[in-house]
């Protein structure tokens, strides 16, 4: 797989190294830091660039080939840029048969791009994902690191329209282990809403 | 009228779940305190007496698993909490972690004490960012109050580690590989993790719900816990219920309650005419609604009905869902999630999707259905991990029970070695 180059800023590189230094003693073996570091790199750059691979390999002592293999094995790592908002629609049974199918059709239409492609303005991309652990609050959609539950077609349209205007931060930062205050009117979890 | 018995879930409605003092005021850490009055060997004995079986899917007796850890290997011992919860239809561990994180932390501390471990890992699926957030907050408090950490009384560390989107990492040895920084692919067993697990050291892997149950066993006493459920299936079990029930959600019942009563009395009844019931996550055989009468929700009764308790991912589908489309949906899941190291699983899963697609779009070739059954028998039992069996199970059971949905009238295919 051809890696895409996106040179680090000095600041980002320092942050990645600082992150590694902070976590490395948690594990008996520094190789265990590879996934956390990939998350950190992806948060800084937006995807797993050539430079992220090189730096993570250097820090963990793993080969670059190994790091690339991991980044391709785990679906949450992206080896090419995704949209600023990456939409993940659950396609597994308890969502699919209870509204998920309609969401997929709607989203394709709304964005006008196929699965895996990025809209021309770089704002959105989407993919089908497997069970998100929200089958009781189906259908479920995740946008970046935020989960949305009981999502109707109208809900999804409203959420996306609102994203376009407000540009909320929907990421879960691995540096601070926190979410931003944006979009708080949408609950982080609705798992208690039933039952 | 069956009712819930909220033992693990008794405190999930409090909104101060990440406040350590609030947890203590509700009886938190009483279980640990009582466990510490016993020797580690006695703690293991008590867990054996409780009858607790692993809640991650395989149902292995927990006390026995702990007893396999050699006491004098000279190596560190690790506890790993399996919080990878990715089995379609399952979301109970998420509820426990989001709503009562200290319950899990306490259970892990008891387990660490019993098996002589100073380090516990929580491997949590990457998509559970919010659960990770809650657990991280709770862990920070446990550290700052010196309940955890090298300079705490027990000297136990708990480290939380995120997966990144791979169902197979829920399989325990794949999880260990992933945690070690390798590709999440299952290992050949033996050696078993109890002897050679994480970093080649003795390791116990337990599900979130299992460890939460451990806390309650000590808090309430083993007699009380063991008196719940049936003779062979002791205690309570969480079910994640989805589909056409009026009130989907997570419910905790004593093992052995009647399935139909459970749906009517606890899950608010059904919204529509039911057709297919899958009681334990996508990897267990599907039941026809007509087969559900009299079936109890416990390991033995579900086995007698030809299915399994599995993860307790309970899905109910109505008459509008075609068994073929459901089989196709599940087969795509497995094809996507195969780790790829065994040829029958990797290639077989893809072919199954292809053939089912053909059947679904009514462009099947003669012999396609026989091909499915022969493919399935080439996969099941011929792979490194149970994923191969899991992948054929829903397809075979749906084909066998709903042949009319697969566009053919009589389907006399044999389950052969495939089950
Ligand atoms: C394909 C596959 C996926 C699994 N996924 C999970 C999972 O997500 N969570 C879990 O606890 N166990 C899962 N298991 C079971 C684990 O391998 C293991 O048996 C379990 O974590 C042991 O804990 P327990 O004894 O407390 O149940 C899975 C097994 C297989 C074969
Ligand atoms: S059965 Fe499938 S998932 Fe399991 S080890 Fe083999 S290829 Fe991987
Ligand atoms: S099936 Fe969609 S969240 Fe489980």
């Amino acid at each position: 797989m051809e890696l895409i180059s996106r040179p680090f800023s000095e600041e980002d590189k320092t942050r990645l190294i600082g992150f590694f230094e902070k976590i490395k003693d948690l594990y008996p073996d520094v190789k265990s830091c590879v996934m956390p570091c990939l998350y950190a790199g992806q948060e800084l750059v937006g995807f797993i660039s050539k430079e992220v691979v090189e730096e993570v390999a250097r820090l963990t002592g793993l080969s670059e080939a190994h790091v690339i293999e991991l980044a391709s094995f785990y679906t949450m790592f992206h080896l090419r840029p995704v949209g600023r908002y990456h939409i993940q629609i659950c396609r597994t049974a308890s969502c699919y048969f209870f509204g998920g199918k309609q969401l997929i059709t709607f989203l394709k239409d709304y964005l006008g791009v196929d699965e895996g492609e990025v809209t021309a303005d770089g704002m959105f991309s989407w993919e089908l994902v497997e069970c998100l652990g929200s089958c009781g609050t189906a259908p479920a959609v995740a946008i970046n690191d935020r989960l949305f539950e009981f999502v109707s077609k109208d809900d999804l349209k409203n959420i996306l329209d609102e994203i376009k205007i407000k540009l909320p931060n929907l990421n879960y930062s691995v540096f601070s282990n926190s979410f931003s205050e944006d979009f708080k009117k949408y609950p982080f979890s609705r798992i208690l809403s039933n039952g | 009228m069956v009712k819930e018995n909220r033992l693990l879930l008794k405190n999930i409605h409090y909104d101060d779940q990440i406040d350590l003092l609030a947890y203590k005021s509700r009886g938190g850490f009483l279980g640990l305190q009582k466990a510490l009055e016993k020797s580690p060997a006695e703690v293991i004995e008590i867990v054996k007496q409780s009858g607790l079986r692993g809640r991650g899917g395989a149902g292995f007796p927990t006390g026995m698993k702990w007893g396999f850890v050699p006491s004098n290997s000279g190596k560190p011992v690790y506890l790993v909490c399996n919080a990878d919860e990715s089995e379609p239809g399952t979301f109970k561990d998420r509820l426990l972690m989001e709503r009562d994180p200290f319950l899990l932390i306490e259970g892990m501390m008891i387990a660490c004490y019993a098996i002589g471990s100073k380090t516990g890992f929580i491997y949590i699926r990457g998509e559970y960012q919010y659960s990770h957030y809650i657990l991280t907050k709770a862990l920070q408090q446990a550290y700052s109050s010196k309940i955890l950490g090298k300079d705490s009384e027990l000297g136990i560390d708990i480290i939380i580690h995120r997966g990144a989107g791979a169902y197979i990492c829920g399989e325990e040895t794949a999880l260990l590989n992933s945690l070690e920084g390798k590709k999440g692919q299952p290992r050949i067993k033996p050696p078993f993790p109890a002897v050679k697990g994480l970093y080649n050291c003795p390791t116990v892997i337990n599900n979130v719900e299992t460890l939460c149950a451990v806390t309650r066993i000590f808090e309430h006493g083993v007699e009380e816990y063991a008196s719940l459920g049936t003779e062979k299936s002791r205690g309570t079990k969480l079910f994640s219920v989805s589909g056409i029930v009026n009130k989907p959600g997570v419910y905790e019942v004593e093992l052995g309650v009647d399935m139909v009563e459970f749906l009517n009395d606890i899950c608010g009844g059904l919204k529509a005419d039911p057709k297919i019931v899958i009681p334990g996550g996508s990897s267990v055989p599907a039941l026809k609604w007509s087969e559900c009468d009299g079936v109890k929700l416990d390991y033995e009764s579900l086995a007698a009905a030809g299915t399994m308790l599995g993860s307790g991912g309970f899905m109910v589908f109505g008459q509008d869902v075609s068994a073929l489309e459901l089989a196709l949906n599940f087969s795509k899941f497995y094809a996507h999630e195969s780790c790829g190291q065994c040829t029958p699983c990797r290639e077989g899963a893809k072919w199954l999707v292809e053939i089912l697609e053909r059947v679904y779009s009514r462009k099947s070739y003669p012999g396609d259905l026989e091909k499915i059954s022969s493919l399935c028998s080439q996969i099941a039992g011929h792979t490194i991990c149970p994923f191969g069996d899991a992948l054929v199970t829903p397809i075979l059971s749906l084909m066998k029970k709903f042949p009319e949905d697969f566009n053919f009238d009589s389907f006399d295919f044999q389950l052969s070695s495939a089950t």
Side-chain angles (χ1 to χ4, degrees):
Chain A
M1 163 152 319
E2 185 88 28
L3 294 179
I4 297 174
S5 168
R6 194 67 53 91
F8 278 117
S9 67
E10 267 318 301
E11 189 198 336
D12 283 352
K13 192 160 177 173
T14 314
R15 282 188 77 191
L16 180 56
I17 296 170
F19 178 81
F20 170 76
E21 292 297 331
K22 210 178 85 187
I23 63 161
K24 73 169 201 280
D25 294 331
L26 296 177
Y27 300 94
D29 183 340
V30 40
K31 293 191 203 66
S32 291
C33 298
V34 62
M35 282 168 70
C37 285
L38 282 172
Y39 267 122
Q42 179 158 284
E43 182 174 333
L44 294 168
V45 180
F47 67 102
I48 306 295
S49 62
K50 182 167 169 284
E51 290 75 12
V52 169
V53 168
E54 287 166 1
E55 193 56 26
V56 171
R58 188 184 71 80
L59 291 169
T60 56
L62 291 162
S63 70
E64 285 176 26
H66 183 94
V67 175
I68 297 168
E69 206 183 0
L70 291 188
S72 357
F73 183 81
Y74 296 102
T75 54
M76 289 176 71
F77 298 129
H78 304 291
L79 283 161
R80 28 212 70 238
V82 290
R84 175 163 173 184
Y85 296 96
H86 184 61
I87 305 159
Q88 303 133 70
I89 295 204
C90 175
R91 62 151 298 281
T92 317
S94 290
C95 285
Y96 188 79
F97 293 107
F98 301 96
K101 204 191 297 192
Q102 289 82 342
L103 285 184
I104 297 166
T105 321
F106 163 77
L107 187 69
K108 219 187 237 177
D109 224 46
Y110 179 95
L111 297 179
V113 292
D114 276 334
E115 184 181 5
E117 291 174 358
V118 184
T119 54
D121 56 4
M123 275 287 281
F124 295 106
S125 54
W126 68 281
E127 74 178 314
L128 298 177
V129 295
E130 303 298 346
C131 179
L132 287 167
S134 309
C135 337
T137 46
V141 175
I143 307 181
N144 295 357
D145 297 319
R146 280 286 297 273
L147 179 70
F148 298 85
E149 295 164 275
F150 293 125
V151 183
S152 70
K153 220 169 63 181
D154 288 343
D155 293 335
L156 185 56
K157 182 176 182 310
N158 291 337
I159 292 167
L160 297 178
D161 287 343
E162 207 173 327
I163 284 179
K164 284 185 187 165
I165 299 164
K166 296 196 181 143
L167 302 176
N169 174 357
L170 300 181
N171 300 332
Y172 178 59
S173 170
V174 303
F175 294 96
S176 57
N177 290 316
S178 66
F179 293 97
S180 89
E181 295 289 305
D182 297 355
F183 251 41
K184 272 224 161 150
K185 73 168 186 188
Y186 296 99
F188 285 96
S189 169
R190 299 187 61 179
I191 195 159
L192 271 188
S193 302
N194 276 327
Chain B
M1 180 97 184
V2 294
K3 282 209 186 99
E4 268 197 271
N5 188 339
R6 295 202 160 195
L7 189 67
L8 273 60
L9 298 186
K10 71 178 171 188
N11 293 329
I12 55 157
H13 284 278
Y14 292 104
D15 281 326
D16 53 4
Q17 78 272 36
I18 48 174
D19 181 341
L20 182 63
L21 291 176
Y23 179 72
K24 280 187 173 163
S25 73
R26 293 191 280 265
F29 292 108
L30 213 68
L32 176 64
Q33 198 186 313
K34 290 189 185 169
L36 294 179
E37 289 163 8
K38 314 274 179 197
S39 72
E42 285 168 337
V43 170
I44 295 180
E45 196 47 45
I46 290 169
V47 176
K48 282 183 186 164
Q49 281 165 20
S50 76
L52 176 64
R53 293 165 65 170
R55 303 299 193 222
F60 194 83
T62 306
M64 201 192 291
K65 186 188 274 188
W66 293 8
F68 290 152
V69 174
S71 54
N72 49 5
S73 69
K75 291 180 179 170
V77 175
Y78 295 110
L79 173 74
V80 177
C81 168
N82 189 340
D84 196 53
E85 189 165 70
S86 315
E87 172 85 359
T90 315
F91 44 98
K92 56 167 183 105
D93 296 341
R94 175 179 156 207
L95 179 75
L96 288 168
M97 292 187 285
E98 282 184 10
R99 303 302 311 182
D100 209 355
F102 287 112
L103 181 65
L104 172 61
I105 293 170
E106 184 176 349
M108 288 184 72
M109 293 178 72
I110 298 172
C112 281
Y113 172 69
I115 62 172
S117 169
K118 295 287 174 204
T119 315
F121 289 95
I122 303 173
Y123 185 100
I124 184 168
R125 69 177 293 189
E127 295 87 343
Y128 279 3
Q129 292 96 341
Y130 185 65
S131 312
H132 182 274
Y133 166 78
I134 296 285
L135 271 172
T136 302
K137 289 255 176 230
L139 285 170
Q140 280 165 355
Q141 282 209 34
Y143 270 92
S144 60
S145 325
K146 297 230 182 320
I147 284 174
L148 288 176
K150 301 255 177 313
D151 48 357
S152 64
E153 186 193 337
L154 294 171
I156 293 170
D157 278 306
I158 294 182
I159 296 129
I160 180 164
H161 186 92
R162 289 177 70 198
Y167 166 70
I168 195 57
C169 291
E171 193 284 331
E172 55 189 18
T173 57
L175 186 157
L176 297 178
N177 276 342
S178 177
L179 189 46
E180 288 179 8
K182 299 175 184 148
K183 228 153 89 170
Q185 291 182 317
R187 301 174 181 172
I188 294 170
K189 291 191 266 193
F192 288 94
V195 181
K196 209 169 170 214
L198 189 61
Y199 311 113
N200 285 325
C201 297
T203 303
V204 164
I205 299 140
N206 274 131
N207 171 257
V208 172
E209 184 186 345
T210 311
L211 290 162
C212 289
V214 165
T215 305
R216 293 291 191 242
I217 288 168
F218 286 89
E219 182 186 337
H220 289 251
V222 64
E223 292 78 16
E224 186 182 329
Y225 187 85
S227 73
L228 303 171
T230 68
E231 180 58 31
K232 287 194 176 149
S233 296
R234 302 269 178 85
T236 60
K237 175 81 190 91
L238 269 53
F239 287 92
S240 319
V241 186
S242 64
I244 54 161
V245 298
N246 281 314
K247 293 196 306 175
V250 180
Y251 299 100
E252 179 174 16
V253 289
E254 280 185 50
L255 282 160
V257 301
D258 183 85
M259 186 192 285
V260 177
E261 287 178 32
F262 169 71
L263 288 171
N264 285 329
D265 300 346
I266 295 174
C267 308
L270 300 166
K271 274 188 214 162
D273 202 6
K275 176 174 170 183
I276 305 167
V277 174
I278 301 179
S282 63
S283 305
V284 311
L287 294 175
K288 283 170 101 141
W289 176 247
S290 59
E291 294 175 298
C292 294
D293 227 26
V295 176
K296 311 278 185 248
L297 295 177
D298 60 61
Y299 294 98
E300 292 71 30
S301 181
L302 286 165
T307 183
M308 288 188 289
L309 184 69
S311 64
F314 198 110
M315 297 173 268
V316 190
F317 300 95
Q319 296 293 341
D320 59 329
V321 171
S322 120
L324 168 60
E325 202 177 359
L326 186 60
L328 177 60
N329 187 283
F330 284 146
S331 69
K332 285 182 181 167
F333 168 81
Y334 289 102
H336 183 249
E337 298 298 338
S338 167
C339 86
Q341 64 178 332
C342 321
T343 314
C345 171
R346 183 187 64 239
E347 299 304 319
K350 280 188 228 155
W351 287 343
L352 282 171
V353 172
E354 223 172 88
I355 300 171
L356 286 166
E357 288 266 24
R358 278 208 299 264
V359 180
Y360 180 67
S361 52
R362 304 194 180 250
K363 288 183 189 135
S364 58
Y365 306 137
D368 263 355
L369 290 157
E370 289 69 22
K371 212 176 274 166
I372 293 180
S373 81
S374 95
L375 257 177
C376 286
S377 55
Q378 287 171 55
I379 298 169
H382 296 99
T383 56
I384 291 176
C385 90
F387 181 101
D389 298 15
L391 122 83
V392 308
T393 299
I395 299 173
L396 287 177
S397 63
L398 289 165
M399 275 176 77
K400 189 173 164 222
K401 292 177 182 177
F402 303 94
E404 62 280 8
D405 285 10
F406 288 77
N407 313 334
F408 55 102
D409 302 324
S410 77
F411 182 50
D412 58 359
F413 104 110
Q414 301 295 311
L415 277 182
S416 63
S417 61
T419 37

